[in-house]
Amino acid sequence: MTARGTPSRRHLLTGLAASGLLLAAPPVLAQRLWTNPVFAADPFSLGVASGDPAEDGFVIWTKLAPEPLAEHGGMPMRGVEVSWEVAEDEGFTRVLQRGTGLARPELGHAVHVEVTGLQPDRFYAYRFTCGGVRSPIGRARTFPAAGAAVEAMRFGVVGCQRYEDGFFTAFRHAAEERFDFIYHYGDYIYEYRTIRPGDRPLTVARVMPGDPDEIYALSDYRRRYALYKLDPDLQAAHASAPWLVSFDDHEIDNNWAGAISEEAGVPPEIFALRRAAGFQAWYEHMPLRRSALPNGPAIQAYRRFRYGELARIDVLDTRQFRSDQPCGDGWQVGCAEALAPERTMLGPAQEAWLRDGFRLPPPRWTVLAQQVMMMRLDSAPEIGTARYHMDKWDGAAAARRRLFDALGEAGVVNTVVLTGDIHQNWAGELKADFDDAGSATVGVEFVATSISSGGDGAPMTRAGGSVCRRTRISAISTTSAAICATRSAGTAGRPIIACWTVSARKAPASRRPRASSSKRDGAACAPPERRARFRPRRRRQIDVTARHLWHSSRDTVRCAWGASPPCISTPITQDRLFFRHVEARL
């Protein structure tokens, strides 16, 4: 005994082995296995995925679920061995590694295999086999070795995919791109009760089967993930490239913050139970390493990746350790609490980890992959009045200041922040002092719109149109969605909106507009001093099939970054010149 009443590790392991709880003991394990399984339906109904790439390997994932919406996915409460293979080609004529993984009932029969010993900067094929059934083939890749010269990387930024709000067409387009990797910023599922047609003004594109209520228990979270993962376009995107996954709020509860639920009157110790259920379900359904295995209501989600000498990617966690939203959350005017120096978005440990990372040998690009808008966003329509959203970094201004100071002290340049959450495309500069238009630019931020959340979208938000009218900026074409950037106007330093168009909806051939240029459309919304930077560029129309609902603001944000500035671009539309312009300001 190590202390009074505390068993030593040897006594504990001996006791576990004797009681049959230590699954690593071979005789005990054999008794718990379902040998020679026979499935009535495809056990790989939820597809395959890869993630968390390193220079010598990656994680491959699947989850056995012959009846994905049934209790336990239609699986017995026994472990099942699953075979896996990794090959150099999709025909599996050159298999490099084989092995078996254990699908445990404790983890909903999910399988996470950490593959190592591979060559850097290469694509590989993988698949699983169980009960004589083979899974679909997935495409994974290793990242370039640290310090290796890399010319470019191509990746997608996706998230916010509420089931009822629309179809997952953008994921099919992401799969067709065959990216180097895909970053998912969160809101993979939504925890709300089902919505039916007529329950709200917004169109309900599809209805969740079974009329589910809001989810709280592990079994409910598992069923919600299964429903989402049955979507063939989402499965195709997962199989097409490795994913770097994060979570935002809806994987647990809308706008939760640390130990605090959005729902009033929920004690932290009770909310911890919901966090534990949500985190376990998230882990079970994502291609994550063992280091991310939840420990009750806690999970290690922030982590670092290196893509050769080109980029360092820090995936952040802006939910677990943050301060509660000040002034009651939402849009607020004059919230002094948001300026309190002790407020945090990352927590002390994660802030220290990030500062230490900034002091590492610098890459060409420093990428902060996170969830909620970092740049300041004033939504007040009146000049002289400021209104900020307390769930964003505006609700913890001191934390943002500490982050910007850490970048400056470490001499980090070419910082890029990837964000989601607000169901709109945005791009803008991160200023050392948002009240001073002439202050240093410490980085740029790209905010990706949603896959489906928020419905059909619009070329311009109502607030954006109001700003454009006040500043005599022309309205943009109704066949396009908008990507907006903040800039400072006049001596007041108040951000206003400049707008660039993004083609995202295919019109019938007879009604399709003539090829348009960024000079005609994009420059119409640009500040006068920037209009000369635009050059004609044909707008790319996006091909969609009639069976899918395509949203005008539902394209995947795609980035191709090269080693020699200026090089940020988004190949999706003519707005790539704008993104290059933003990068050139760094």
Side-chain angles (χ1 to χ4, degrees), residues 520-558:
R520 190 185 74 183
D521 288 0
C525 280
E529 66 274 12
R530 297 186 185 178
R531 292 181 186 175
R533 296 181 180 271
F534 287 89
R535 295 293 183 268
R537 182 177 296 278
R538 293 178 64 84
R539 174 182 294 141
R540 184 178 78 86
Q541 295 290 341
I542 293 177
D543 183 24
V544 295
T545 59
R547 71 181 181 88
H548 282 94
L549 180 66
W550 184 258
H551 298 142
S552 64
S553 57
R554 299 291 170 262
D555 206 347
T556 307
V557 171
R558 302 183 290 177

Side-chain angles (χ1 to χ4, degrees), residues 64-369:
L64 301 181
E67 300 176 60
L69 300 182
E71 186 178 18
H72 309 307
M75 291 291 294
M77 289 293 96
R78 284 185 288 170
V80 184
E81 285 190 339
V82 180
S83 300
W84 58 269
E85 296 175 291
V86 172
E88 290 184 321
D89 64 308
E90 294 185 2
F92 284 81
T93 61
R94 299 185 300 277
V95 176
L96 300 177
Q97 293 191 29
R98 290 186 174 93
T100 58
L102 184 61
R104 300 178 184 271
E106 298 92 334
L107 292 176
H109 293 97
V111 179
H112 299 78
V113 178
E114 297 186 21
V115 182
T116 59
L118 301 176
Q119 294 298 310
D121 199 17
R122 297 188 184 181
F123 286 98
Y124 295 91
Y126 64 93
R127 66 186 178 189
F128 297 90
T129 305
C130 187
V133 182
R134 278 183 174 167
S135 74
I137 295 172
R139 176 177 176 267
R141 72 157 296 160
T142 52
F143 274 2
V150 180
E151 192 64 28
M153 67 181 185
R154 296 178 61 254
F155 62 97
V157 180
V158 299
C160 293
Q161 53 205 53
R162 189 171 184 180
Y163 185 86
E164 301 98 322
D165 286 5
F167 295 97
F168 293 169
T169 320
F171 277 129
R172 176 162 52 84
H173 286 268
E176 292 168 356
E177 289 291 333
R178 297 175 74 85
F179 288 119
D180 294 326
F181 66 92
I182 292 174
Y183 168 56
H184 194 291
Y185 53 76
D187 292 349
Y188 194 100
I189 63 165
Y190 280 71
E191 80 285 11
Y192 300 130
R193 68 172 182 85
T194 190
I195 297 292
R196 295 190 173 277
D199 288 351
R200 64 183 189 187
L202 183 67
T203 299
V204 177
R206 48 184 176 174
V207 177
M208 289 191 291
D211 198 31
D213 208 332
E214 185 161 345
I215 54 179
Y216 291 88
L218 176 58
S219 59
D220 299 329
Y221 281 102
R222 284 173 170 169
R223 192 171 296 112
R224 190 66 56 92
Y225 275 102
L227 175 62
Y228 278 56
K229 279 187 165 287
L230 283 171
D231 186 278
D233 292 332
L234 176 56
Q235 289 191 21
H238 268 298
S240 71
W243 284 36
L244 311 183
V245 296
S246 186
F247 55 80
D248 195 10
D249 52 339
H250 290 289
E251 285 84 355
I252 309 293
D253 179 33
N254 179 56
N255 279 18
W256 67 279
I260 308 301
S261 170
E262 181 199 37
E263 301 173 13
V266 178
E269 62 273 19
I270 299 299
F271 182 60
L273 301 176
R274 189 177 189 183
R275 275 183 44 168
F279 283 152
Q280 179 169 342
W282 183 70
Y283 174 83
E284 289 177 359
H285 291 85
M286 295 296 125
L288 291 161
R289 295 184 180 272
R290 182 183 291 261
S291 58
L293 186 68
N295 181 12
I299 190 170
Q300 180 61 45
Y302 63 86
R303 56 207 191 278
R304 178 169 293 131
F305 301 89
R306 188 67 189 251
Y307 198 93
E309 67 171 5
L310 185 63
R312 182 175 61 238
I313 306 165
D314 289 336
V315 178
L316 306 184
D317 175 356
T318 60
R319 287 291 163 190
Q320 271 195 98
F321 313 107
R322 64 177 292 164
S323 305
D324 191 15
Q325 294 90 346
C327 299
D329 203 358
W331 294 101
Q332 300 291 337
V333 176
C335 178
E337 186 183 352
L339 306 177
E342 69 275 10
R343 295 196 57 76
T344 183
M345 290 291 285
L346 305 176
Q350 189 176 185
E351 285 189 17
W353 168 83
L354 195 56
R355 285 195 305 271
D356 291 343
F358 292 158
R359 298 188 185 101
L360 295 173
R364 173 73 65 175
W365 301 99
T366 297
V367 182
L368 304 182

